[in-house]
Amino acid sequence: MKRPAVITIRATQSAGDEEETTELVTEGNFGWQGERAFLTYQETVATGFEGDTTTLRIEGEERATLLRFGDSRTRLVVEPGRRHYCQYDTGSGVLELEIVGREIQNRLTAEGGEVVLIYHIDCNHALLAVNRVQISVRLRDQSFLPQ
């Protein structure tokens, strides 16, 4: 069952001596099925993917899969200790990247919570950046939604 939620995504990307942090707060849906959590939200102009839909599937601390649908299509998999190849559509072109999972810290329950994804982005086995993505989910209180 999908429930309305406020999703906060705080991403920090480190490359060499430089570090950049961005934050997005958006409305979306949160679902729980078995041991898997699902987040879905619409991209905005602020992310550069306006009109696209992003779904994130979290499977415990073993795997996280980001799927983006629309004009820019992407499938990015984070799995600790594993390397996955990814075609990342920037909207201006497609980059072939390698996603090397380091860690997933999952504190999500059926009522929301937080998950942290830590992974490297490589190109031809050369490190481009280290990413730390912290995603917080807060369910919307149904009693305050307009009828």
Side-chain angles (χ1 to χ4, degrees), residues 2-56:
K2 290 192 278 186
R3 297 165 67 188
V6 175
I7 302 167
T8 303
I9 303 167
R10 182 177 174 86
T12 301
Q13 185 172 67
S14 304
D17 294 336
E18 296 184 29
E19 184 174 284
E20 180 180 359
T21 299
T22 57
E23 185 170 280
L24 171 71
V25 179
T26 189
E27 301 229 359
N29 289 302
F30 178 68
W32 192 268
Q33 182 178 18
E35 295 298 314
R36 294 181 181 157
F38 297 88
L39 301 166
T40 301
Y41 61 93
Q42 295 295 311
E43 296 285 350
T44 67
V45 100
T47 65
F49 300 103
E50 182 179 20
D52 290 355
T53 300
T54 296
T55 298
L56 182 63

Side-chain angles (χ1 to χ4, degrees), residues 24 70 94-95 98 102 117 139:
L24 171 71
V94 177
L95 296 173
E98 302 159 51
R102 287 183 54 192
L117 311 175
L139 294 177

Side-chain angles (χ1 to χ4, degrees), residues 108-124:
L108 288 172
T109 70
E111 299 304 314
E114 180 180 272
V115 64
V116 177
L117 311 175
I118 302 171
Y119 58 93
H120 294 182
I121 299 175
D122 292 357
C123 186
N124 294 324

Side-chain angles (χ1 to χ4, degrees), residues 61-80:
E61 294 187 337
E62 291 79 43
R63 178 185 276 235
T65 304
L66 178 138
L67 301 166
R68 182 173 295 130
F69 302 98
D71 291 338
S72 301
R73 299 181 63 84
T74 298
R75 181 176 185 269
L76 184 146
V77 178
V78 176
E79 190 173 7

